Amino acid sequence: MAKTALITGVTGQDGSYLAEFLLTKGYRVVGMVRRSSSENFERIDHLRDKIELRQGDLLDQLSLITLIEDIKPDEIYNLAAQSFVPTSWEQPSLTGEFTALGVTKVLEAIRLVNPKIRMYQASSSEMYGRVREVPQNELTPFYPRSPYGVAKCYGHYITVNYRESYDMFAVSGILFNHESPRRGLEFVTRKVTDGVARIKLGLSKELRMGNLDARRDWGFAGDYVKAMWLMLQQEVPDDYVIATGVDYSVKDLVEKAFNAVNLDYKDYVVTDPKFIRPAEVDLLIGNPEKAKKNLGWHTEVDFDSLVKMMVDADCQRLAK
């Protein structure tokens, strides 16, 4: 009998790739969506006839309980959050409600309806913030540097807490930056690839950037959602760092993106102080050894291929 998976945040980058992946595994996929005035189903348009969409809200405990009772999922992937770091400075309370307390509401709904449901919680490398060691692993202490990072720490530990207190199969994936052509335009990788495509097509003349020296561990979102699924197939619930183990600077990203369309970034990039964060996170680079060893997980798309994939997709989109 086919397993049923419930995905919160199904309309996001990760949600759409995860839904695709679970369909290839024969799952019945149900996506939870919020009722809002501006529904954006763009990332899952091609899946609309293959998945079910149901209303629910992380801020409304009863809607979660009702939904779980109704669809009886075997697995729940909690990917919904206010996930853009700069917005977390402007809306710190809302970020806490969704990204921290929302996790508690999902866990509590599982505990009340059926504690046997397996749950995946989307943790984040932003929890490391001002890093205590390089690279970061599952035991590296957290030192978040944004309201988003702080909220993710809460979500992470409340998941551990429910696992240990109620013997639930609840795990967290500490995912480092993962990108794709479906990444939101507000994120730096997509801002760059979209900007490069616009310059290439003569739609703009410059690309305004913040800190070019910040370094990140960037992977492909399509690879990372497989790790989420693998975590829920294990015999013992545990948390894992999911990363490439290789870091690049924002400058490297910019250079590779311009190279993909045969342009020199130095001719187009302008540094603008308004894009510098209040508290910068310096060097996030993950150590994925535990995931490789225990889950048999590995990345398939390298950084150069990822940047080219994103630039090509933005060029195609804008050329239309």
Side-chain angles (χ1 to χ4, degrees):
M1 188 156 141
K3 279 187 185 173
T4 297
L6 172 63
I7 304 173
T8 75
V10 73
T11 59
Q13 166 188 261
D14 294 9
S16 66
Y17 280 107
L18 179 63
E20 274 175 1
F21 177 73
L22 293 176
L23 287 169
T24 68
K25 294 282 178 195
Y27 277 68
R28 169 192 173 213
V29 177
V30 182
M32 185 180 95
V33 292
R34 272 193 304 157
R35 181 168 168 74
S36 78
S37 53
S38 58
E39 286 297 8
N40 182 2
F41 294 133
E42 188 187 337
R43 296 186 184 94
I44 53 168
D45 268 344
H46 62 298
L47 302 173
R48 289 291 288 274
D49 57 342
K50 301 185 184 77
I51 66 175
E52 297 169 44
L53 295 180
R54 301 289 289 272
Q55 281 186 12
D57 197 313
L58 282 189
L59 303 186
D60 183 350
Q61 180 84 66
L62 191 58
S63 75
L64 296 173
I65 291 171
T66 307
L67 181 58
I68 293 171
E69 279 176 338
D70 199 24
I71 65 169
K72 301 179 172 49
D74 300 281
E75 299 171 358
I76 294 179
Y77 296 85
N78 185 39
L79 311 184
Q82 189 301 101
S83 61
F84 187 46
V85 173
T87 300
S88 78
W89 295 100
E90 290 158 22
Q91 302 181 339
S93 301
L94 184 75
T95 300
E97 294 266 345
F98 273 115
T99 309
L101 288 176
V103 187
T104 313
K105 292 191 165 105
V106 174
L107 287 161
E108 193 60 5
I110 292 171
R111 184 179 76 82
L112 292 169
V113 178
N114 175 9
K116 293 280 175 276
I117 295 169
R118 295 190 168 203
M119 176 189 145
Y120 170 85
Q121 164 60 14
S123 284
S124 165
S125 59
E126 287 285 334
M127 300 187 305
Y128 295 117
R130 192 174 187 174
V131 301
R132 303 299 186 85
E133 62 180 349
V134 179
Q136 294 90 52
N137 63 32
E138 291 79 6
L139 300 175
T140 303
F142 299 141
Y143 191 145
R145 297 270 278 170
S146 67
Y148 170 73
V150 173
K152 278 290 184 188
C153 284
Y154 176 101
H156 182 84
Y157 280 124
I158 200 72
T159 302
V160 172
N161 203 267
Y162 270 67
R163 173 169 79 222
E164 294 177 354
S165 307
Y166 300 116
D167 195 26
M168 286 164 58
F169 197 110
V171 302
S172 289
I174 306 172
L175 270 58
F176 280 66
N177 293 59
H178 46 291
E179 318 296 321
S180 75
R182 297 179 199 167
R183 189 61 141 148
L185 283 164
E186 68 273 23
F187 291 88
V188 69
T189 44
R190 189 67 198 293
K191 174 183 169 173
V192 169
T193 61
D194 176 75
V196 167
R198 285 177 188 280
I199 288 167
K200 180 65 177 175
L201 296 168
L203 300 172
S204 57
K205 294 188 166 57
E206 63 176 27
L207 177 59
R208 302 185 83 82
M209 296 294 295
N211 177 11
L212 292 179
D213 298 323
R215 302 184 71 86
R216 291 290 184 275
D217 181 327
W218 278 299
F220 172 52
D223 289 340
Y224 285 42
V225 298
K226 293 174 190 164
M228 300 175 183
W229 175 77
L230 284 167
M231 283 179 221
L232 292 193
Q233 312 315 310
Q234 303 307 303
E235 281 182 24
V236 179
D238 205 352
D239 306 322
Y240 292 91
V241 162
I242 303 300
T244 67
V246 185
D247 67 301
Y248 292 94
S249 68
V250 175
K251 186 174 156 190
D252 295 330
L253 163 69
V254 167
E255 197 168 354
K256 287 176 190 295
F258 276 99
N259 286 350
V261 293
N262 302 312
L263 293 175
D264 185 347
Y265 81 97
K266 295 190 194 81
D267 298 336
Y268 304 97
V269 173
V270 181
T271 305
D272 187 336
K274 83 170 188 204
F275 294 119
I276 307 279
R277 287 185 186 187
E280 185 53 82
V281 171
D282 307 310
L283 179 55
L284 290 175
I285 171 170
N287 176 354
E289 287 312 309
K290 181 176 164 186
K292 285 180 178 171
K293 184 165 153 270
N294 296 7
L295 304 177
W297 177 81
H298 61 277
T299 56
E300 289 169 32
V301 177
D302 65 15
F303 187 61
D304 288 45
S305 311
L306 173 63
V307 176
K308 186 170 181 343
M309 175 203 301
M310 291 176 67
V311 172
D312 289 350
D314 278 325
C315 285
Q316 281 172 1
R317 179 180 58 89
L318 291 164
K320 286 177 185 165

